[in-house]
Amino acid sequence: MTSSPQIIEHGRGRPPLDPHLKALENEAIHIFREVAAEFERPVMLYSIGKDSSVLLHLARKAFHPGKIPFPLLHVDTTWKFAEMIEFRDRIAQEYDLELHVHTNPRGRAENITPFTHGSARYTDIMKTEALRQALDAGKYDVAFGGARRDEEASRAKERIYSFRTPDHRWDPRNQRPELWNIYNGMIRPGESVRAFPLSNWTEVDIWRYIEAEEIPLVPLYYAAERAFVERDGMLMMAEDARFEPLPGETVQRDFIRFRTLGCWPLTGAIRSRASNLTEVIDELEIATVSERQGRAIDRDQSGSMEKKKREGYF
Amino acid sequence: MTAPSTPAVSLVNFEDDAPAPHHAGKDSRPLRFITCGSVDDGKSTLIGRLLWDTKAVKEDQAAALSRDSTGKQNDLGLPDFALLLDGLQAEREQGITIDVAYRYFSTDKRAFIVADTPGHVQYTRNMATGASTADLAVLLVDARAGLLEQTRRHATIAALMGIRQFVLAVNKIDLTGYDEPGYHKIARDFRELALTLGVNNVISIPVSALKGENIVLSGKATMPWYEGPTLVEVLERATQRGGQSTGFRLSVQRVSRPGEGFRGYQGTVSGGSIKPGDSVVVLPSGVEANVKQIVTFDLIRNAAVSGDAITLVLDRPVDIARGDMIVALDQRPQTGTAFSARLVALSPDAIEPGKRYWLKAGSRRQRVTVTPTQQLDLQSGKWQPATTLPLNAIGTANLDFDEAAIFDAYETNRQTGAFILIDPDTNNTVAGGMIQGRRKSSDGLAREGAEKVTVTLPAHLLAAFRASDFARDHAGEIRISADEDE
Ligand SMILES: Nc1nc2c(ncn2[C@@H]2O[C@H](COP(=O)(O)OP(=O)(O)OP(=O)(O)O)[C@@H](O)[C@H]2O)c(=O)[nH]1
Ligand SMILES: [Mg+2]
């Protein structure tokens, strides 16, 4: 970088953040700066969803007026919604981000798919193993993630600096104490840390922050008329040419949207008419089911997330 | 709440009466509290019940709960509410809590962050983790057992960490036949304990966590003799931790130099406030400057207050690095190489006298020699002389630094008065510490504590003296400290 940044006094043009969101923002910025200063090779996991979008926004804030001092990593399973990939590439260009995309070459060669190999094995190879490969290749000693403690019972137990062994394992029985906002970033070569600036955010906080900060999102979060089938109690979007209806299934068209985004064969949509932020928040505030309800990978059994994390999943 | 038989594919189940939207938390920071107390006293059950009765448990989670409840935990046919918190496999297998769970919920009046901490003495480190950031502590006691050593330990740690509001929940009152005199005795005992810890804001409530009596719903039916508030009413009314009484403090996390001509110091304000034009001093160098700008992503700010993550631009070029402190010119923290502090020992390896640790406070990490001086006897409540601090001990220690350290007393500022100790051999966090103050060691040889003698000498001679035969022979009798005027 050569030219000096121009600092111009300008208002937000928006009302100031309420104290609750402001406190969450401050905490996240503090964590970003601490990690960036203490570790040699940070990377930020970017999954294109709403949490990642908030995480990215906070990273830009934390290092302003400088650039984000680390690359972003997207683990591409090749089964993401096309709209996600478009959005990712547009954002990377618009914000001038250093974005690395990694797909597990073994999985690609063996043509591992959620339909042919089952969601557990597919997730293991295309997500967990792929992530380990990318982190090892980049020699990253810390990776930021957008996980929140309110998502799931084992996440609720995780530290903000979550220590990982050289083979990326999490040992939930032996976490380091984490007192006040003083973080212990000391590790040996090969060990690493997953850092979670959004730990204390809830789903509603995320949406209210997106609204307050006008953060762009993948349009799939808003209701529109889309084609889908009902399979195993899940609304599966008929996303691309690889989608095949099973015998007896009929492709329907109706207003649906997503509460979380991932791989389309594993991410269930919800019927909804909420086509803008305000409507999404209103709907969320009276929701009677949790966020991860639509995710095939979390439904397998209680404790499945913990198991994956022990194996190196984010 | 009923569990749906088929997975819902819309967010709202319109057949049920949907709860009203929660707008709580919009106007203020959430209240942070912990549950603590001895093993099996019902902490997780209480929080589970609190989540259940405030409708924070969604239908799919309720379905998972009834699926996972084995019926072994109670014979009332109620779900095992602790499973809403005990999310680790090992916890579910053993029926205990191992690590803190953080949960978020709100009522119409307020938003809350609760940390459910483990009661088992082996996991005291995790209780301390939860306590360090809490505004209030709910201490649970089994109505049949009364106060236990672990109750005292948790109450003490909570008080040391600056929690000034206690709620005593006398739990499992259903198992005593709602015994009123028994409840009053425990409440009296606890109030006495709290007073010795300097906490006089104590509210006692008889509860049955399992049956949900006096948690969110009233327990009048079974305890007509109790006139006071329910737990949730107390929580809604509680106050947050007071602010700091020091001047401006900013521990520099990063120096931002995105291009020629811009140099900003990034960090979180950890005391007081700041505005352009204010005079500051950089520590430890002592160089003075004035604030030129407060930069944030959104705008150039005209002021920043405690808690704000900012970038500070000064009016002149100054040599500032990560770990330095920028502070108010007229209200400085204490600097020196000798301090005393309270410690909570969190590692299976004891805190050993004369051992060198890493100390991290704010963004500053430096070498320190730790010499334990006292340990709290939890039975008698008295401080006894000590030379080591074993796992879970609460003690006092002298801290001696090679280079100047910068602190406020924890009492006046919890950000700049707190630190952790890291064992350089294992990289583990082995203690949490709270600064009491700077130690005066003006003459070379000052008697201190019970038997020990402090030898104070110039910092550059410390290593040589430590290695000497004299120091080795008298290791148990002397305390070595650096001359702070060096
Ligand atoms: N009868 C009755 N049983 C209770 C009550 N509260 C909790 N229990 C039972 O006490 C046992 C222990 O409850 P937990 O909530 O796991 O205790 P805890 O304090 O969280 O335990 P640790 O976290 O391991 O220290 C369970 O079997 C509960 O069902 C109560 O009010 N009445
Ligand atoms: Mg428990």
Side-chain angles (χ1 to χ4, degrees), chain B residues 141-277:
Chain B
V141 171
D142 185 326
R144 299 166 300 176
L147 306 196
L148 302 174
E149 171 166 331
Q150 192 64 348
T151 323
R152 294 175 196 278
R153 178 176 283 111
H154 280 184
T156 307
I157 292 173
L160 277 183
M161 292 196 157
I163 299 175
R164 288 288 168 268
Q165 302 173 86
F166 284 172
V167 176
L168 171 73
V170 179
N171 189 34
K172 307 196 186 182
I173 195 85
D174 54 304
L175 297 180
T176 68
Y178 302 95
D179 173 27
E180 185 185 2
Y183 160 74
H184 286 301
K185 178 176 183 323
I186 295 172
R188 259 196 320 275
D189 289 353
F190 185 78
R191 183 169 291 278
E192 211 169 281
L193 168 65
L195 280 176
T196 65
L197 299 171
V199 179
N200 45 28
N201 185 350
V202 179
I203 293 173
S204 301
I205 312 175
V207 303
S208 169
L210 184 60
K211 298 172 76 179
E213 291 165 334
N214 284 333
I215 306 295
V216 174
L217 308 168
S218 160
K220 275 274 175 311
T222 49
M223 291 168 273
W225 46 267
Y226 176 73
E227 306 267 292
T230 62
L231 176 62
V232 83
E233 285 166 353
V234 174
L235 295 174
E236 283 175 343
R237 273 185 247 147
T239 53
Q240 273 151 0
R241 275 189 189 213
Q244 296 83 12
S245 54
T246 58
F248 174 70
R249 305 280 185 266
L250 183 119
S251 183
V252 177
Q253 292 183 283
R254 297 178 80 239
V255 180
S256 169
R257 299 184 58 186
E260 286 298 310
F262 182 88
R263 183 189 275 260
Y265 305 103
Q266 302 189 315
T268 304
V269 180
S270 51
S273 62
I274 194 82
K275 58 183 193 310

Side-chain angles (χ1 to χ4, degrees), chain A residues 30 34 157 200 290 302 306, chain B residues 60 68 89 99 104 253 268:
Chain A
H30 182 87
E34 199 60 14
K157 299 265 164 182
N200 288 319
S290 86
S302 294
E306 176 186 350
Chain B
D60 50 317
D68 295 343
Q89 271 163 14
D99 212 331
Y104 310 80
Q253 292 183 283
T268 304

Side-chain angles (χ1 to χ4, degrees), chain A residues 35-86:
Chain A
V35 170
E38 275 201 309
F39 290 83
E40 311 241 312
R41 292 182 65 81
V43 66
M44 185 178 124
L45 269 286
Y46 178 66
S47 70
I48 322 174
K50 63 182 189 306
D51 303 308
S52 279
S53 300
V54 167
L55 199 64
L56 176 59
H57 185 75
L58 289 162
R60 294 173 67 224
K61 283 196 159 189
F63 302 107
H64 174 85
K67 281 185 60 165
I68 297 176
F70 42 77
L72 272 62
L73 171 66
H74 178 228
V75 174
D76 190 349
T77 58
T78 73
W79 290 90
K80 300 295 171 187
F81 293 89
E83 279 180 80
M84 291 173 71
I85 303 300
E86 276 162 35

Side-chain angles (χ1 to χ4, degrees), chain A residues 253-278:
Chain A
R253 282 192 74 83
D254 202 349
F255 282 83
I256 59 169
R257 66 178 188 89
F258 291 85
R259 201 168 168 189
T260 69
L261 284 180
C263 303
W264 64 260
L266 301 179
T267 312
I270 51 173
R271 291 179 199 274
S272 167
R273 291 260 170 186
S275 61
N276 60 47
L277 259 172
T278 317

